[in-house]
Amino acid sequence: DVKVTQSSRYLVKRTGEKVFLECVQDMDHENMFWYRQDPGLGLRLIYFSYDVKMKEKGDIPEGYSVSREKKERFSLILESASTNQTSMYLCATQGAGSNQPQHFGDGTRLSIL
Amino acid sequence: AQSVSQHNHHVILSEAASLELGCNYSYGGTVNLFWYVQYPGQHLQLLLKYFSGDPLVKGIKGFEAEFIKSKFSFNLRKPSVQWSDTAEYFCAVNALRAGNMLTFGGGTRLMVKP
């Protein structure tokens, strides 16, 4: 079974703080993704990475950056957290090939005060 | 840009009722289609997927979905729901562009009354 581990289930930070969300996978998958999940909006892609040190913007990258220094780890960074970034953040991985499903972590519920 | 629409945000059914959740997408090319489910407090799990071949796809827990290319639809069905099917359901489409990106619908929250 694929295991996707997000470092925190719940996180509370203050406006202006720099926030790091970590995601680790154990399946040697090339592709990794960060989404945010908001009620009524489904999942929206923030950034994704298809290889080490490679990253691509998703649909809503503003206010975020990512880091992929090792294949198994994909970090999401909120440079200066704002209240509108309060959300559930989901990490996903996917093996090579467009017919492979994505596997999701448990999510991090982030609150920005 | 592709988009995915799930028309019902909330659905409430009694046990044993039949279920159909709508999903329409806007991309005209070749697509891969997925339904994911998120049970309360759990992570998203793959319910079923369509890549090619028989447009009627069977998934786990008695769910099935039918791909109708002419209608750009991939509706999810189950003949008789159970209380344990209470969850949020997400339709997703991959238009085979770079990076295997998925576009998700807004989700449908299903509540099954015991």
Side-chain angles (χ1 to χ4, degrees):
Chain A
D1 258 6
V2 177
K3 190 162 178 62
V4 183
T5 303
Q6 294 184 229
S7 51
S8 307
R9 288 298 300 270
Y10 300 94
L11 206 54
V12 180
K13 296 291 183 182
R14 296 197 176 279
T15 303
E17 280 193 73
K18 190 169 186 176
V19 181
F20 293 86
L21 302 183
E22 305 286 349
C23 177
V24 178
Q25 52 111 347
D26 66 353
M27 284 302 294
D28 203 36
H29 282 174
E30 288 80 4
N31 302 312
M32 297 187 74
F33 306 81
W34 273 107
Y35 296 89
R36 60 178 285 175
Q37 182 182 12
D38 300 288
L41 298 177
L43 277 70
R44 293 179 292 167
L45 182 65
I46 304 171
Y47 266 96
F48 68 98
S49 168
Y50 52 89
D51 203 349
V52 176
K53 296 191 185 296
M54 306 303 290
K55 59 187 179 185
E56 292 285 340
K57 292 180 180 179
D59 298 318
I60 51 165
E62 296 78 19
Y64 303 94
S65 63
V66 289
S67 172
R68 185 122 182 247
E69 295 298 317
K70 294 183 178 180
K71 193 174 187 180
E72 67 270 19
R73 186 181 295 270
F74 190 37
S75 304
L76 179 70
I77 304 155
L78 285 65
E79 298 291 344
S80 176
S82 62
T83 54
N84 63 12
Q85 292 178 309
T86 292
S87 186
M88 170 70 88
Y89 288 87
L90 298 177
C91 174
T93 75
Q94 183 189 36
S98 60
N99 60 356
Q100 297 299 312
Q102 293 187 7
H103 301 269
F104 288 84
D106 288 337
T108 297
R109 188 166 291 281
L110 175 64
S111 297
I112 307 297
L113 306 179
Chain B
Q2 63 192 29
S3 65
V4 181
S5 298
Q6 290 180 242
H7 310 295
N8 303 101
H9 291 163
H10 293 89
V11 173
I12 303 172
L13 295 173
S14 298
E15 275 197 315
S18 65
L19 170 71
E20 180 158 3
L21 301 183
C23 173
N24 286 89
Y25 62 94
S26 64
Y27 186 72
T30 303
V31 292
N32 294 328
L33 300 157
F34 304 82
W35 275 97
Y36 283 85
V37 59
Q38 187 174 33
Y39 297 104
Q42 296 187 26
H43 60 267
L44 268 82
Q45 303 170 41
L46 182 67
L47 204 52
L48 49 78
K49 59 187 178 182
Y50 171 80
F51 299 133
S52 63
D54 188 344
L56 185 62
V57 180
K58 295 195 184 296
I60 59 172
K61 303 186 180 184
F63 286 91
E64 65 179 30
E66 185 174 12
F67 171 49
I68 303 179
K69 190 174 182 179
S70 61
K71 295 185 178 180
F72 299 91
S73 70
F74 189 55
N75 292 354
L76 181 71
R77 299 194 293 250
K78 185 171 183 178
S80 176
V81 295
Q82 300 172 309
W83 176 79
S84 57
D85 293 324
T86 294
E88 190 159 16
Y89 293 82
F90 294 92
C91 180
V93 175
N94 173 9
L96 305 184
R97 54 184 172 150
N100 300 316
M101 291 167 58
L102 284 181
T103 300
F104 282 84
T108 299
R109 198 178 289 272
L110 171 66
M111 186 175 87
V112 180
K113 297 182 293 185

Short mmCIF file of all heavy atoms in Angstrom, two decimals, chain A residues 11-19 78-86 110-113:
data_model
loop_
_atom_site.label_atom_id
_atom_site.label_comp_id
_atom_site.label_asym_id
_atom_site.label_seq_id
_atom_site.Cartn_x
_atom_site.Cartn_y
_atom_site.Cartn_z
N LEU A 11 -2.72 22.47 12.47
CA LEU A 11 -1.67 23.47 12.65
C LEU A 11 -2.34 24.83 12.81
O LEU A 11 -3.26 25.17 12.04
CB LEU A 11 -0.77 23.45 11.42
CG LEU A 11 0.68 23.91 11.52
CD1 LEU A 11 1.42 23.17 12.61
CD2 LEU A 11 1.37 23.70 10.18
N VAL A 12 -1.87 25.60 13.78
CA VAL A 12 -2.38 26.97 13.97
C VAL A 12 -1.19 27.92 13.91
O VAL A 12 -0.22 27.74 14.65
CB VAL A 12 -3.12 27.11 15.31
CG1 VAL A 12 -3.64 28.54 15.47
CG2 VAL A 12 -4.26 26.12 15.41
N LYS A 13 -1.28 28.90 13.04
CA LYS A 13 -0.20 29.87 12.86
C LYS A 13 -0.79 31.28 12.85
O LYS A 13 -2.00 31.48 12.74
CB LYS A 13 0.54 29.61 11.55
CG LYS A 13 1.26 28.28 11.49
CD LYS A 13 2.45 28.25 12.44
CE LYS A 13 3.21 26.95 12.34
NZ LYS A 13 4.35 26.91 13.28
N ARG A 14 0.10 32.27 12.95
CA ARG A 14 -0.34 33.66 12.95
C ARG A 14 -0.07 34.32 11.59
O ARG A 14 0.84 33.90 10.84
CB ARG A 14 0.39 34.43 14.04
CG ARG A 14 0.05 33.95 15.44
CD ARG A 14 0.42 34.97 16.50
NE ARG A 14 0.01 34.52 17.82
CZ ARG A 14 -1.23 34.64 18.29
NH1 ARG A 14 -2.17 35.21 17.55
NH2 ARG A 14 -1.52 34.22 19.49
N THR A 15 -0.85 35.32 11.31
CA THR A 15 -0.68 36.10 10.08
C THR A 15 0.76 36.60 9.97
O THR A 15 1.33 37.09 10.96
CB THR A 15 -1.64 37.30 10.08
OG1 THR A 15 -2.97 36.83 10.24
CG2 THR A 15 -1.53 38.08 8.79
N GLY A 16 1.35 36.44 8.78
CA GLY A 16 2.71 36.91 8.54
C GLY A 16 3.79 35.88 8.78
O GLY A 16 4.93 36.06 8.36
N GLU A 17 3.44 34.79 9.46
CA GLU A 17 4.43 33.75 9.72
C GLU A 17 4.77 32.99 8.45
O GLU A 17 3.95 32.88 7.53
CB GLU A 17 3.89 32.75 10.75
CG GLU A 17 4.00 33.20 12.19
CD GLU A 17 3.74 32.04 13.15
OE1 GLU A 17 4.62 31.17 13.28
OE2 GLU A 17 2.66 32.03 13.77
N LYS A 18 5.95 32.43 8.40
CA LYS A 18 6.33 31.52 7.32
C LYS A 18 5.97 30.12 7.79
O LYS A 18 6.35 29.70 8.87
CB LYS A 18 7.82 31.64 7.03
CG LYS A 18 8.27 30.92 5.77
CD LYS A 18 9.70 31.30 5.40
CE LYS A 18 10.11 30.70 4.07
NZ LYS A 18 11.45 31.14 3.63
N VAL A 19 5.22 29.41 6.95
CA VAL A 19 4.67 28.11 7.35
C VAL A 19 5.18 27.03 6.39
O VAL A 19 5.18 27.22 5.17
CB VAL A 19 3.14 28.12 7.34
CG1 VAL A 19 2.59 26.76 7.78
CG2 VAL A 19 2.60 29.23 8.22
N LEU A 78 4.21 28.53 2.85
CA LEU A 78 3.45 29.78 2.84
C LEU A 78 4.43 30.86 3.27
O LEU A 78 4.85 30.91 4.42
CB LEU A 78 2.27 29.71 3.79
CG LEU A 78 1.05 28.89 3.38
CD1 LEU A 78 1.36 27.39 3.27
CD2 LEU A 78 -0.10 29.12 4.32
N GLU A 79 4.82 31.72 2.34
CA GLU A 79 5.88 32.68 2.61
C GLU A 79 5.51 33.66 3.72
O GLU A 79 6.32 33.98 4.57
CB GLU A 79 6.23 33.43 1.32
CG GLU A 79 6.76 32.54 0.21
CD GLU A 79 8.15 31.98 0.50
OE1 GLU A 79 8.84 32.52 1.42
OE2 GLU A 79 8.56 31.00 -0.14
N SER A 80 4.28 34.14 3.69
CA SER A 80 3.79 35.07 4.71
C SER A 80 2.30 34.77 4.86
O SER A 80 1.49 35.28 4.09
CB SER A 80 4.04 36.51 4.28
OG SER A 80 3.49 37.41 5.22
N ALA A 81 1.98 33.94 5.84
CA ALA A 81 0.63 33.40 5.94
C ALA A 81 -0.42 34.51 6.09
O ALA A 81 -0.21 35.51 6.79
CB ALA A 81 0.55 32.44 7.12
N SER A 82 -1.55 34.29 5.43
CA SER A 82 -2.67 35.22 5.56
C SER A 82 -3.92 34.42 5.91
O SER A 82 -3.98 33.20 5.70
CB SER A 82 -2.89 35.98 4.25
OG SER A 82 -3.21 35.09 3.21
N THR A 83 -4.91 35.12 6.44
CA THR A 83 -6.11 34.43 6.93
C THR A 83 -6.84 33.68 5.82
O THR A 83 -7.48 32.65 6.06
CB THR A 83 -7.07 35.40 7.61
OG1 THR A 83 -7.36 36.48 6.71
CG2 THR A 83 -6.46 35.98 8.89
N ASN A 84 -6.74 34.16 4.58
CA ASN A 84 -7.42 33.46 3.48
C ASN A 84 -6.71 32.17 3.06
O ASN A 84 -7.17 31.47 2.15
CB ASN A 84 -7.65 34.38 2.28
CG ASN A 84 -6.36 34.86 1.66
OD1 ASN A 84 -5.28 34.36 1.97
ND2 ASN A 84 -6.46 35.84 0.77
N GLN A 85 -5.63 31.86 3.74
CA GLN A 85 -4.97 30.59 3.50
C GLN A 85 -5.36 29.53 4.54
O GLN A 85 -4.83 28.42 4.53
CB GLN A 85 -3.45 30.77 3.46
CG GLN A 85 -2.98 31.57 2.25
CD GLN A 85 -1.49 31.80 2.22
OE1 GLN A 85 -0.90 32.26 3.21
NE2 GLN A 85 -0.86 31.49 1.10
N THR A 86 -6.28 29.89 5.41
CA THR A 86 -6.87 28.90 6.30
C THR A 86 -7.63 27.88 5.46
O THR A 86 -8.53 28.24 4.69
CB THR A 86 -7.82 29.57 7.30
OG1 THR A 86 -7.07 30.37 8.20
CG2 THR A 86 -8.62 28.54 8.09
N LEU A 110 -5.02 23.68 8.43
CA LEU A 110 -4.23 24.85 8.81
C LEU A 110 -5.15 26.02 9.12
O LEU A 110 -5.99 26.37 8.29
CB LEU A 110 -3.26 25.21 7.68
CG LEU A 110 -2.44 26.49 7.85
CD1 LEU A 110 -1.49 26.38 9.03
CD2 LEU A 110 -1.67 26.80 6.57
N SER A 111 -4.96 26.60 10.27
CA SER A 111 -5.70 27.81 10.64
C SER A 111 -4.72 28.95 10.81
O SER A 111 -3.72 28.81 11.53
CB SER A 111 -6.46 27.60 11.96
OG SER A 111 -7.43 26.59 11.81
N ILE A 112 -5.01 30.06 10.15
CA ILE A 112 -4.17 31.25 10.25
C ILE A 112 -4.97 32.31 11.03
O ILE A 112 -6.05 32.72 10.60
CB ILE A 112 -3.78 31.78 8.87
CG1 ILE A 112 -3.15 30.70 8.00
CG2 ILE A 112 -2.87 33.00 9.01
CD1 ILE A 112 -1.85 30.15 8.54
N LEU A 113 -4.43 32.70 12.16
CA LEU A 113 -5.15 33.65 13.02
C LEU A 113 -4.68 35.09 12.78
O LEU A 113 -3.52 35.31 12.44
CB LEU A 113 -4.94 33.28 14.49
CG LEU A 113 -5.31 31.83 14.86
CD1 LEU A 113 -5.03 31.59 16.33
CD2 LEU A 113 -6.77 31.56 14.53
#
